[in-house]
């Protein structure tokens, strides 16, 4: 597509205000549409192509471009000169090196957290993705797929809605393009939606339905455990007929949190508020006297499994924050 404008790609005043008059003379902005090994695909006003992922003059430790980023490209050399300041950034701990973070996607307006109405449905996994979304201040929508494969899809939806008040949950049959069209409300012109979810939950099927295309490969789910193989291997943006963009990301079943204290506090605000009522400020919420959380569990107003999930995520986040502090000190 070469007749697009910057606004079609998601350009806003947030990015325009970062350009100096000098940069406007010798550079032009492009958006990262896909990340490949050794190169990135970019699109700009009436142009598209590939550039190197390495920023000219970048210092060690500088951010490399990720899908959804906006770059400035030198008109003469066609090399990227810098990454524009992001609205938000999804990241995780790198599987290859737990001491480092891996960037996932940038400049997202809405995140569709995708789960399936089968035995692979997991409240703990939904909470983990919600913490990530809240931490980077991106609007989340829970999308439950494979509603046609169960007689009780509303039970799955009710369990998801119970995670936090006001949480938006949509239940769809990913193969029914008319049904999936209800998600188009978040996919208007220039808007960017990211898909997060485990392998086999139907993300690629949803993308195909929203695009009106079968160009993205899908694989059958194993009947034994309801899970599937990865069908997305490249992080890339897909254009929708309504003008929006979808980021279909590789499944991240073992997503680990990094610097997510704010997200945890928002998703588990009931526990956060209870903890403030404990008698001791350093309460571990175990056997200490005056623990408001244990009192709530005993009274039946807080489910023990929800507390256990919070405690696990909180310990993970604290560990990540401690490692980050040590790295910065070194």
């Amino acid at each position: 597509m070469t007749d697009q404008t910057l606004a079609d790609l998601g350009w806003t005043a947030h990015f325009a205000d970062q350009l100096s008059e000098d940069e406007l003379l010798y550079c032009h902005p492009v958006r990262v549409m896909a990340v490949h090994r050794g190169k990135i695909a970019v699109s700009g006003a009436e142009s598209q192509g590939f550039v190197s992922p390495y920023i000219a003059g970048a210092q060690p430790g500088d951010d490399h471009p990720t899908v959804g980023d906006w770059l400035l490209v030198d008109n003469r050399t066609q090399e990227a000169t810098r990454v524009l300041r992001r609205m938000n950034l999804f990241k995780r701990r790198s599987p290859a090196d737990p001491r480092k973070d891996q960037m996932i996607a940038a400049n997202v307006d809405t995140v569709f957290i995708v789960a399936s109405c089968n035995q692979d449905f997991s409240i703990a996994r939904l909470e983990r993705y919600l913490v990530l979304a809240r931490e980077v201040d991106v609007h989340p929508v829970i999308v439950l797929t494979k509603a046609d494969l169960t007689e009780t899809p509303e039970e799955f939806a009710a369990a998801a809605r119970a995670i936090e008040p006001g949480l938006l949950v949509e239940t769809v049959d990913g193969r029914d393009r008319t049904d999936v069209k209800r998600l188009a409300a978040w996919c208007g012109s220039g808007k960017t939606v990211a898909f997060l979810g485990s392998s086999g939950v139907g993300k690629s099927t949803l993308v195909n339905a929203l695009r009106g295309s079968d160009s993205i490969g899908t694989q059958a789910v194993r009947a034994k455990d309801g899970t599937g193989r990865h069908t997305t291997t490249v992080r890339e943006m897909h254009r929708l007929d309504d003008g929006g963009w979808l980021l279909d990301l590789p499944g991240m079943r073992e997503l680990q949190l990094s610097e997510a204290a704010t997200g945890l506090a928002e998703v588990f605000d009931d526990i956060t508020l209870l903890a403030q009522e404990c008698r001791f400020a350093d309460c571990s919420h175990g056997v200490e006297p005056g623990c408001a959380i244990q009192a709530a569990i005993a009274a039946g107003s807080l489910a023990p499994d929800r507390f256990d999930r919070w405690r696990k995520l909180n310990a993970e986040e604290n560990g990540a924050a401690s490692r980050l502090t040590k790295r910065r000190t070194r």
Side-chain angles (χ1 to χ4, degrees):
M1 179 177 180
T2 58
D3 59 347
Q4 62 202 356
T5 66
L6 291 180
D8 293 331
L9 291 164
W11 185 258
T12 65
H14 171 84
F15 305 107
D17 291 344
Q18 299 179 47
L19 274 61
S20 68
E21 292 184 3
D22 288 343
E23 286 177 321
L24 289 171
L25 294 176
Y26 66 85
C27 290
H28 63 277
V30 296
R31 195 169 192 194
V32 177
M33 310 306 289
V35 176
H36 304 273
R37 188 181 299 274
K39 62 181 179 180
I40 53 178
V42 298
S43 286
E46 303 181 359
S47 68
Q48 55 189 20
F50 292 91
V51 299
S52 168
Y54 304 105
I55 305 298
Q59 300 299 312
D62 286 352
D63 283 342
H64 293 297
T66 190
V67 65
D69 266 329
W70 281 94
L71 310 178
L72 285 187
V73 174
D74 188 288
N75 296 332
R76 182 179 59 84
T77 66
Q78 296 303 304
E79 291 185 347
T81 61
R82 69 182 177 102
V83 179
L84 295 185
R85 187 177 68 255
R86 301 167 173 121
M87 293 193 303
N88 48 61
L89 173 66
F90 285 96
K91 60 184 179 181
R92 66 172 178 176
R93 294 223 302 274
S94 172
D97 187 349
R99 297 170 300 176
K100 298 180 180 179
D101 288 330
Q102 179 185 44
M103 295 182 296
I104 301 171
N107 302 317
V108 173
D109 296 295
T110 303
V111 57
F112 286 161
I113 300 174
V114 187
S116 52
C117 297
N118 59 16
Q119 60 267 43
D120 196 42
F121 179 83
S122 169
I123 290 295
R125 196 175 302 130
L126 289 179
E127 288 173 338
R128 181 178 290 268
Y129 284 123
L130 277 170
V131 168
L132 178 64
R134 297 299 189 191
E135 182 65 28
V136 297
D137 198 24
V138 175
H139 177 67
V141 178
I142 303 292
V143 179
L144 301 181
T145 62
K146 305 181 182 180
D148 56 307
L149 301 182
T150 176
E151 296 180 356
T152 57
E154 190 52 39
E155 290 184 6
F156 290 93
R161 292 190 183 99
I163 295 175
E164 62 179 44
L167 183 61
L168 290 175
V169 178
E170 295 284 349
T171 306
V172 300
D173 175 358
R175 299 175 301 174
D176 185 340
R177 289 174 180 170
T178 301
D179 194 26
V180 174
K181 269 293 184 182
R182 290 186 286 113
L183 302 180
W186 292 280
C187 305
S189 179
K191 296 297 183 181
T192 301
V193 176
F195 275 42
L196 290 177
S198 299
S199 305
V201 298
K203 298 191 307 295
S204 294
T205 301
L206 275 178
V207 173
N208 284 335
L210 285 167
R211 296 179 70 220
S213 166
D214 294 322
S215 61
I216 298 176
T218 60
Q219 293 194 26
V221 171
R222 295 194 297 263
K224 180 180 179 180
D225 56 9
T227 63
R229 299 182 180 91
H230 293 295
T231 55
T232 305
T233 56
V234 175
R235 301 194 304 277
E236 61 183 312
M237 298 178 67
H238 302 281
R239 183 68 183 267
L240 297 178
D241 290 339
D242 293 332
W245 297 93
L246 290 180
L247 285 171
D248 188 21
L249 305 174
M252 295 179 293
R253 180 179 295 273
E254 300 302 328
L255 178 70
Q256 295 178 317
L257 303 181
S258 176
E259 295 184 274
T262 300
L264 273 168
E266 290 191 21
V267 174
F268 293 91
D269 60 343
D270 53 337
I271 297 179
T272 301
L273 291 173
L274 281 171
Q276 296 175 2
E277 299 176 8
C278 291
R279 180 182 301 176
F280 303 108
D282 60 348
C283 182
S284 67
H285 316 301
V287 297
E288 294 93 337
C291 176
I293 288 179
Q294 290 299 326
I297 293 174
S301 57
L302 175 63
D305 55 349
R306 178 169 171 81
F307 169 64
D308 289 340
R309 294 194 302 271
W310 169 82
R311 184 162 53 184
K312 179 180 178 180
L313 291 176
N314 195 55
E316 183 178 318
E317 195 282 328
N318 287 337
S322 176
R323 286 188 293 272
L324 179 64
T325 300
K326 291 179 180 178
R327 291 204 306 269
R328 288 173 175 169
T329 300
R330 289 197 298 267

